[in-house]
Amino acid sequence: MTERDGHPAFRRAVPMRALLAVAPLLLAGASPGPARPIPAARDPLVYASNEKGNSVSVISARTNAVLATIPVGKRPRGLALSPDHALVYVALGEDNAVGVIDVAQAKFTTTFSADTDPELLVLSPDGRTVYVSNEQIAKASAIDATTHRILFSTPVGAEPEGVGVSRDGSKVYITSETASTVSVLDATTGAVRSTLKVDNNPRTIAFTPDGARAWVTAEAGGTVTVLDARDSILTQFPIGDRTTKPVRVAFAPDGRVAYITEGAGASVRVIDAVRHMEIGRIMVGQRPWGIAISPDGRWLYTANGRANTVSVIATGTRTVAHTIPVGERPYDLLYIP
């Protein structure tokens, strides 16, 4: 990803007994030695990849405290969660690799080759395959999550970034920023099934909760293009005045509301996902990129890349409830129930 374009941060006070409880995790994240496991009855977590900090911040979604900072490889960007919530995969752009974090141990355990310059990634629905966008070499790769063997590496449009997989696991979607296209690949062979022209500088692709639609954000175009399950373009609609650079999308659990980070706008645009109309806007930290939402839809999180913070938004009031300092240049987010 090429460089794109904070609010004052504060953290809720944490009781001493809570600090004592998480102290082993902080130590585990700061050293390469064995980490103590997170208790089985742990809080839900939010992971934030810190692109310049070469680390992943582990945040309690209950207390909004940073429990650990896990050193990983160089330039961590995209994050993906295994179906059993046991492992987090992180794209390491400057290591040409994907790293693996054991969630229970809060420990970085291994890396495996992911061709050149992986940026974003997604897992197949069964968790057996990791799909990555290889930005520098204009390819998309599939990797066996168990054997770590590269299954295919397919040429796509220039500067690929966003990655999505269909609900049935049969197709992989890759957005290409420079080509302004979405490539649809056969998830098993990597063969290109179709190439769709969208608006300028498409960044990411997100599927609605029912899997029936896919939204593609166009950063330079300032629009969202909506695809159907047959890979036809249904509609395209603007975001704001088209200058705020939409990046990532998260849907409410019922699919009726979409939240879109606006990198240049330091905000989240709230969209009626049925009518494709704006119904609100929430100001967050500078340069929000990544976004995640809790399974109940009550809490929304943004990774504010230029503010080095994560904003915690109460969706009921559409206000920022907490601002959490994390590592340098937070990029992507995961919510782990």
Side-chain angles (χ1 to χ4, degrees):
M1 182 194 71
T2 53
E3 198 73 29
R4 329 280 189 224
D5 344 337
H7 286 194
F10 67 89
R11 185 184 301 178
R12 177 186 294 177
V14 180
M16 180 58 68
R17 63 184 178 183
L19 290 174
L20 293 174
V22 302
L25 299 177
L26 295 170
L27 292 173
S31 71
R36 296 187 185 182
I38 293 176
R42 59 167 170 77
D43 295 340
L45 303 172
V46 177
Y47 271 41
S49 61
N50 302 307
E51 185 178 9
K52 293 295 184 182
N54 294 331
S55 64
V56 171
S57 297
V58 181
I59 301 164
S60 166
R62 181 178 64 84
T63 66
N64 298 308
V66 175
L67 302 179
T69 300
I70 304 172
V72 293
K74 295 178 182 178
R75 202 182 182 195
R77 293 182 285 183
L79 298 170
L81 180 65
S82 63
D84 62 3
H85 302 173
L87 301 174
V88 168
Y89 296 83
V90 53
L92 303 172
E94 292 185 6
D95 286 338
N96 300 328
V98 169
V100 183
I101 297 172
D102 182 299
V103 174
Q105 298 286 334
K107 183 180 179 183
F108 187 66
T109 61
T110 191
T111 62
F112 53 86
S113 176
D115 211 325
T116 303
D117 190 28
E119 179 158 6
L120 293 182
L121 73 172
V122 69
L123 265 64
S124 59
D126 61 11
R128 295 179 180 177
T129 308
V130 183
Y131 300 101
V132 304
S133 56
N134 301 108
E135 183 180 32
Q136 187 177 354
I137 59 173
K139 288 185 176 182
S141 300
I143 307 154
D144 187 298
T146 302
T147 66
H148 301 161
R149 181 170 65 92
I150 294 180
L151 304 175
F152 65 73
S153 187
T154 298
V156 291
E159 205 177 3
E161 180 168 352
V163 187
V165 63
S166 61
R167 195 172 191 177
D168 64 3
S170 66
K171 295 181 289 186
V172 177
Y173 297 74
I174 307 292
T175 67
S176 299
E177 292 187 78
T178 300
S180 296
T181 59
V182 175
S183 299
V184 185
L185 312 182
D186 184 287
T188 301
T189 67
V192 178
R193 298 174 57 153
S194 61
T195 301
L196 308 175
K197 190 71 175 179
V198 292
D199 208 349
N200 294 336
N201 193 207
R203 289 295 301 277
T204 56
I205 184 166
F207 284 86
T208 55
D210 63 4
R213 302 284 186 269
W215 286 28
V216 181
T217 59
E219 186 180 44
T223 63
V224 168
T225 300
V226 182
L227 313 179
D228 67 11
R230 294 179 295 178
D231 306 327
S232 298
I233 294 176
L234 293 179
T235 189
Q236 187 179 94
F237 62 92
I239 299 300
D241 64 0
R242 301 174 67 136
T243 67
T244 54
K245 298 190 180 299
V247 183
R248 302 294 291 271
V249 182
F251 291 98
D254 63 6
R256 298 186 65 84
V257 176
Y259 303 94
I260 301 177
T261 55
E262 301 179 291
S267 58
V268 173
R269 194 77 58 163
V270 186
I271 304 294
D272 181 316
V274 178
R275 297 182 298 161
H276 304 145
M277 294 176 58
E278 179 185 342
I279 55 176
R281 192 181 186 195
I282 307 160
M283 303 307 297
V284 293
Q286 189 179 10
R287 285 295 179 136
W289 288 318
I291 193 167
I293 193 167
S294 61
D296 61 8
R298 294 179 58 202
W299 301 102
L300 187 72
Y301 302 81
T302 64
N304 307 318
R306 291 293 190 183
N308 296 335
T309 61
V310 168
S311 292
V312 184
I313 298 165
T315 58
T317 59
R318 296 178 187 164
T319 57
V320 175
H322 305 281
T323 303
I324 306 168
V326 290
E328 186 178 359
R329 202 66 64 83
Y331 182 85
D332 201 11
L333 291 174
L334 269 183
Y335 190 101
I336 306 178

